[in-house]
Amino acid sequence: MPSLRQEAWYLYRCARLGSAFFRRRLIHCNLQVTYRCNFRCQICDFWKDPHPRSEEFTPEQVRVVGEKLARLGTMIVSLGGGEPLIREDLYQITAILRDTGHFPILITNGWFVNETVAKDILRAGLQEISVSVDYADAARHDAQRGTPGAWDRAVKALELLHRHRPDRRCRVHMISVLMDDNLEDTEKLLRLARDIGVTYYVNLYSSGRGTKSPRLPGSEVQSHLLDLKRRYPEFVSLTSYLESFDQAIREGGIGGCEGGTLFLNVGSGGGVSRCIDTLEDQAGNILTDDVLAIRDRLARLRAEKPCGECWTSCRGFAECMYKAPRARQFAEFYTSVKRR
Ligand SMILES: C[S@@+](CC[C@H](N)C(=O)[O-])C[C@H]1O[C@@H](n2cnc3c(N)ncnc32)[C@H](O)[C@@H]1O
């Protein structure tokens, strides 16, 4: 049970979240806490280069980041990487972000999650945690992830996290990247998520950064996914997000990306860009530069270099919340985060 103080802080942040949405602030930040990773995924490049720990921000610097993001109206801070749980101070980082007024959320491969980690990371103030599971069988997941045992550990992580939620508002999701060979796995993964007791969402593959092969699904997928969404309440991807999948596959993305106006990316050394795929277009360093000047540069980058080369879920979430019918988006968002 949350204390009265915790409940008041939660409600205060909910009110600020509503206000930030209403005022179209830079609502969502992907904060890359590290680019180090214990996996060797075929669909990701970060593990291919060395990333020294010394280049990562410290918890004290995360406090500066948290305070500056609060000035932009950013409410949801998604801890990513690399593998965020490779950092032993992730508990501290999570708590700092909660205390600076955000809803910290996390995506992990699940490898480092044991009973103690599950309890501690959830108690530190995570609002949501997603564990990546791309295939319904261990062999294909482990091959994609370049790590034997990855699937078993991810499923175990989901079970432990679900069991140790401190509060039923704290959400545990399974997340899959939809690629050219796993559409048929979606229903099986939904059933697995349901058996564990967690919710499920998809992220459309992107080959935007680095040297990744084109692996978007080849056929039309939208009607299948929308049908699954109607049949499985565990499927919490927004309907509007799924409704753009066929166009995104046909056109290699969706135009008019709002990176830099509705969401932003902060790298593990403080560098700010619109998203993880446009790291070369820096708008400044959040640790050293004025945050309002960074906001203006982000908006300019978006205007000068319009992009529409992906349809990933972080982008889809921020943008779809503004699509008509707005009431449906908010109802679906509420359903995905309510107590259950
Ligand atoms: C980069 S990972 C970092 C977190 C963690 N290491 C993990 O594997 O879940 C964040 C999310 O992006 C997904 N991802 C990785 N490469 C991707 C790609 N090329 N396109 C779309 N999503 C991708 C991962 O599967 C994961 O769900």
Side-chain angles (χ1 to χ4, degrees):
M1 274 290 285
S3 69
L4 238 122
R5 198 181 148 277
Q6 285 167 332
E7 188 62 15
W9 189 236
Y10 174 78
L11 292 174
Y12 169 72
R13 286 178 295 154
C14 286
R16 287 197 56 213
L17 178 66
S19 154
F21 263 127
F22 189 69
R23 293 191 286 164
R24 283 187 80 95
R25 297 300 194 91
L26 276 156
I27 193 95
H28 187 283
C29 173
N30 282 318
L31 186 62
Q32 314 299 343
V33 291
T34 180
Y35 292 118
R36 289 178 286 135
C37 195
N38 56 320
F39 276 18
R40 300 288 175 264
C41 300
Q42 289 170 9
I43 60 170
C44 181
D45 283 323
F46 285 117
W47 57 267
K48 294 177 184 163
D49 299 314
H51 298 286
R53 246 176 236 226
S54 54
E55 287 175 7
E56 294 169 3
F57 36 52
T58 61
E60 293 70 37
Q61 289 174 318
V62 171
R63 185 171 296 283
V64 176
V65 175
E67 286 165 356
K68 287 195 170 180
L69 287 176
R71 287 188 64 202
L72 295 180
T74 304
M75 291 303 301
I76 302 168
V77 180
S78 179
L79 308 176
E83 172 47 44
L85 278 169
I86 217 166
R87 279 193 71 150
E88 282 151 13
D89 54 4
L90 198 71
Y91 313 97
Q92 224 180 324
I93 291 175
T94 304
I96 289 169
L97 289 166
R98 175 198 57 197
D99 296 345
T100 47
H102 306 283
F103 288 111
I105 66 177
L106 168 67
I107 304 182
T108 173
N109 60 36
W111 185 266
F112 296 107
V113 178
N114 58 27
E115 196 109 25
T116 314
V117 170
K119 282 186 198 160
D120 289 351
I121 195 66
L122 293 171
R123 281 203 204 113
L126 273 188
Q127 196 60 39
E128 177 185 299
I129 182 162
S130 305
V131 181
S132 295
V133 185
D134 297 325
Y135 296 92
D137 65 286
R140 284 190 304 150
H141 179 82
D142 293 1
Q144 193 292 103
R145 296 267 158 184
T147 312
W151 193 89
D152 287 346
R153 295 276 277 257
V155 171
K156 185 79 193 153
L158 282 162
E159 289 164 355
L160 287 170
L161 291 161
H162 178 60
R163 190 179 317 147
H164 292 296
R165 286 187 305 159
D167 170 343
R168 287 194 298 142
R169 276 187 305 232
C170 172
R171 310 292 320 132
V172 180
H173 302 295
M174 180 190 292
I175 175 176
S176 307
V177 179
L178 189 69
M179 298 169 274
D180 51 5
D181 62 352
N182 63 349
L183 179 65
E184 293 307 316
D185 291 61
T186 314
E187 184 161 11
K188 291 180 201 144
L189 288 168
L190 271 161
R191 287 206 199 109
L192 177 62
R194 182 168 64 190
D195 290 346
I196 299 171
V198 301
T199 33
Y200 177 83
Y201 68 104
V202 285
N203 181 20
L204 189 60
Y205 177 74
S206 159
S207 55
R209 208 186 50 78
T211 51
K212 289 177 283 218
S213 27
R215 290 205 51 188
L216 278 172
S219 58
E220 301 205 334
V221 300
Q222 201 165 299
S223 59
H224 180 63
L225 294 175
L226 288 167
D227 175 54
L228 290 175
K229 180 158 173 73
R230 276 188 289 274
R231 293 194 284 122
Y232 289 85
E234 294 79 13
F235 198 176
V236 294
S237 293
L238 293 177
T239 302
S240 307
Y241 176 58
L242 301 175
E243 280 173 348
S244 293
F245 268 41
D246 286 351
Q247 184 192 347
I249 291 166
R250 250 189 340 266
E251 298 173 9
I254 298 285
C257 176
E258 295 268 11
T261 46
L262 290 180
F263 60 94
L264 74 162
N265 183 79
V266 176
S268 72
V272 182
S273 58
R274 288 169 289 168
C275 72
I276 191 77
D277 285 349
T278 54
L279 289 179
E280 64 288 356
D281 294 331
Q282 292 280 305
N285 188 302
I286 197 161
L287 294 171
T288 49
D289 297 346
D290 174 56
V291 75
L292 298 182
I294 289 180
R295 182 189 62 188
D296 293 346
R297 282 201 288 273
L298 280 171
R300 264 204 309 277
L301 274 171
R302 176 175 181 267
E304 286 164 9
K305 291 186 157 188
C307 186
E309 287 173 21
C310 80
W311 188 234
T312 51
S313 61
C314 49
R315 175 186 167 197
F317 165 71
E319 294 182 24
C320 286
M321 288 300 285
Y322 291 97
K323 284 194 174 179
R326 291 276 290 275
R328 181 180 79 184
Q329 317 309 341
F330 282 93
E332 286 192 9
F333 175 62
Y334 175 71
T335 308
S336 73
V337 296
K338 73 174 183 190
R339 274 177 203 275
R340 62 169 102 194

